[in-house]
């Protein structure tokens, strides 16, 4: 029962933090009318850098924007590859919630690898132009028509439910009732950033809880003053209805299976003796253009079960569901991009395994 309650508490914490970050990014993008994803495409190197930057944005929005720019011939294929390497989909939110310090380091490494790979691809790979059509706005993404005059605003049950749920989450977060239980990860070296070493660590769990509590308050205000369209279509239908159940189910399921397995099986010893196999497996799973399965590797890393090279390979090969519109528009580009991503993931993963 103690294990179950601890896993439930951690699952609520992780899911809540992920949802808050997704709502913040959704709000910023809508308020900028999508301009946050538009950049200059004067040079191929510039396109690659912008593609890597868009891919570094947690979630799907930067990825969808890059695919749209690519299919409209505004981005090179190397820029597309750079985005897919830099992007980790919704798992980016989870990593920031579970191990923020290591996540930031990982994102920086992915960004550098993405730029190098993107530039190399543009120098070598010259795909023939394809007759793309206008890419329709993805229902999960960023398009929003700003209403003229005062937007319609009513306190319907969706808005009220989100306000109550977020208020409860803020209180629980600020009071420390959703803190991580580090005892389950005592054998891991991945949680040292949460311990007190005599100085102030802004990535310490206590500071992160304060930070996310503050951000949650901002989201609370957004929900109060946002239009009905934004609340219903973007926050409820996109994030709460679609993403929240999936994130919670995968997080809870993985934590539960891992928690039970660690009680009876020396899974950490088996995996540590098969790192090379895990890198290959993580790379192959990354081919799946969907968020969810990759959370297994994120959770295993957070628990100290798999080493960093496995997480690195998984993060490079997978891009959440940002590439789904690409699959619909150009299966050839999708296939080549995934092949290149897997090659880069294997090189980086095995390279990191040799030097670490």
């Amino acid at each position: 029962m103690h294990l179950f309650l601890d896993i439930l508490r951690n699952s609520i914490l992780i899911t809540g933090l992920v949802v808050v970050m997704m709502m913040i990014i959704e709000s910023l993008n809508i308020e900028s009318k999508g301009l946050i994803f538009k950049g200059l495409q004067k040079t191929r190197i510039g396109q690659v850098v912008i593609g890597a930057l868009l891919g570094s944005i947690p979630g799907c929005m930067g990825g969808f924007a890059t695919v749209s720019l690519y299919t409209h011939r505004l981005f090179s294929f190397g820029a597309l590859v750079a985005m897919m390497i830099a992007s980790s989909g919704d798992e980016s939110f989870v990593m920031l919630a579970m191990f923020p310090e290591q996540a930031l380091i990982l994102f920086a490494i992915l960004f550098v690898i993405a730029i190098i790979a993107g530039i190399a691809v543009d120098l070598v790979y010259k795909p023939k132009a394809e007759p793309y059509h206008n890419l329709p706005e993805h229902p999960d993404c960023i398009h929003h028509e700003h209403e003229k005059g005062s937007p319609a605003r009513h306190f319907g049950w969706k808005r009220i439910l989100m306000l109550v749920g977020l208020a409860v989450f803020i209180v629980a977060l600020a009071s420390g009732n959703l803190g991580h239980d580090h005892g389950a990860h005592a054998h891991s070296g991945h949680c040292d950033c949460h311990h007190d070493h005599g100085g102030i660590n802004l990535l310490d769990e206590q500071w992160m809880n304060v930070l996310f509590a503050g951000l949650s308050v901002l989201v609370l205000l957004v929900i109060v003053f946002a239009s009905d369209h934004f609340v219903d279509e973007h926050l409820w239908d996109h994030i709460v209805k679609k993403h929240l159940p999936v994130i919670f189910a995968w997080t809870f399921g993985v934590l539960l299976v891992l928690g039970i397995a660690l009680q009876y099986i020396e899974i950490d010893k088996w995996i540590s003796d098969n790192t090379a196999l895990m890198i290959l497996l993580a790379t192959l799973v990354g081919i799946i253009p969907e968020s969810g399965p990759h959370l297994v590797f994120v959770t295993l890393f957070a628990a100290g079960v798999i080493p960093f090279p496995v997480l690195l390979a998984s993060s490079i090969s997978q891009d959440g569901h940002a590439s789904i519109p690409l699959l619909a528009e150009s299966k050839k580009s999708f296939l080549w991009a995934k092949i290149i991503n897997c090659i880069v993931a294997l090189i980086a993963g095995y390279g990191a395994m040799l030097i670490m």
Side-chain angles (χ1 to χ4, degrees):
M1 181 59 68
H2 174 74
L3 175 64
F4 178 84
L5 292 177
D6 180 56
I7 291 174
L8 179 62
R9 184 172 64 250
N10 285 334
S11 299
I12 293 174
L13 171 65
I14 293 168
T15 303
L17 296 181
V18 169
V19 168
V20 166
M21 286 186 282
M22 293 179 73
M23 286 184 173
I24 289 174
I25 289 182
E26 187 84 2
S27 301
L28 289 174
N29 184 63
I30 296 305
E31 287 303 314
S32 69
K33 300 181 182 179
L35 295 177
I36 194 173
F37 297 121
K38 294 181 180 178
L40 299 176
Q41 300 92 32
K42 294 182 179 180
T43 67
R44 283 184 175 267
I45 294 179
Q47 294 170 27
V48 169
V49 172
I50 295 174
L53 286 172
L54 290 173
S56 298
I57 299 174
C60 71
M61 290 176 291
F64 284 134
T66 302
V67 171
S68 180
L69 290 169
Y70 170 72
T71 55
H72 287 87
R73 301 193 185 96
L74 298 175
F75 264 10
S76 67
F77 185 68
L80 176 71
V81 170
M83 178 279 293
M84 294 175 68
I85 291 176
S87 175
S88 297
D90 294 341
E91 282 75 16
S92 298
F93 294 116
V94 179
M95 287 187 277
L96 286 171
M98 297 184 76
F99 42 88
E101 188 172 6
Q102 292 89 344
L104 293 177
I105 294 174
L106 173 64
F107 297 160
I109 294 174
L110 291 176
F111 181 74
V112 173
I113 294 176
I115 292 178
I116 295 174
I119 293 175
V121 166
D122 275 344
L123 291 175
V124 176
Y125 186 71
K126 305 292 183 181
K128 295 181 180 179
E130 297 186 43
Y132 296 122
H133 302 287
N134 290 334
L135 185 66
E137 294 291 344
H138 195 279
D140 291 339
C141 209
I142 63 177
H143 182 66
H144 174 60
E145 296 181 0
H146 287 255
E147 303 175 47
K148 295 182 179 180
S150 299
R153 186 185 300 112
H154 303 90
F155 281 82
W157 67 270
K158 295 179 182 178
R159 190 190 299 262
I160 294 176
L161 186 59
M162 284 190 287
L163 287 173
V164 173
L166 189 57
V168 172
F169 178 73
I170 292 172
V171 172
L173 191 63
S175 63
N177 290 326
L178 289 179
H180 287 296
D181 183 359
H182 301 298
H185 311 308
H187 64 285
S188 168
H190 295 294
C191 290
D192 290 342
C193 60
H194 301 303
H195 297 158
D196 184 8
H197 297 293
I200 297 178
N201 184 358
L202 295 181
L203 291 176
D204 181 82
E205 180 179 300
Q206 182 179 356
W207 284 98
M208 293 300 293
N209 285 349
V210 172
L211 172 62
F212 281 113
L215 293 176
S216 299
V217 172
L218 294 179
V219 174
L220 195 70
L221 295 175
V222 169
I223 296 175
V224 170
F225 295 104
S227 68
D228 289 344
H229 171 85
F230 182 76
V231 170
D232 293 342
E233 300 295 330
H234 293 272
L235 298 186
W236 182 266
D237 289 343
H238 177 204
I239 296 177
V240 175
K241 186 177 179 180
K242 182 173 183 179
H243 287 285
L244 189 152
V246 174
I247 294 171
F248 178 80
W250 274 97
T251 302
F252 181 80
V254 171
L255 287 176
L256 182 62
V257 171
L258 180 60
I260 295 175
L262 290 176
Q263 298 291 322
Y264 303 101
I265 306 173
E266 294 183 353
I267 186 174
D268 52 344
K269 183 179 184 303
W270 183 88
I271 291 179
S272 64
D273 293 336
N274 294 275
T275 300
L277 179 61
M278 289 301 296
I279 290 175
L280 177 60
L281 177 62
T283 300
L284 294 177
V285 172
I287 297 176
I288 303 173
E290 180 61 68
S291 294
H294 320 292
L295 280 175
V296 173
F297 300 100
V298 173
T299 309
L300 289 174
F301 175 79
V305 176
I306 61 173
F308 182 79
V310 178
L311 180 66
L312 177 63
S314 173
S315 300
I316 291 174
S317 65
Q318 71 100 356
D319 43 62
H321 52 271
S323 60
I324 291 179
L326 177 65
L327 181 61
E329 288 291 311
S330 174
K331 294 177 177 57
K332 179 180 179 181
S333 294
F334 174 86
L335 178 62
W336 275 109
K338 278 296 185 179
I339 290 175
I340 294 172
N341 280 16
C342 288
I343 293 174
V344 174
L346 292 174
I347 293 174
Y350 289 125
M353 184 183 70
L354 294 176
I355 63 178
M356 293 184 70

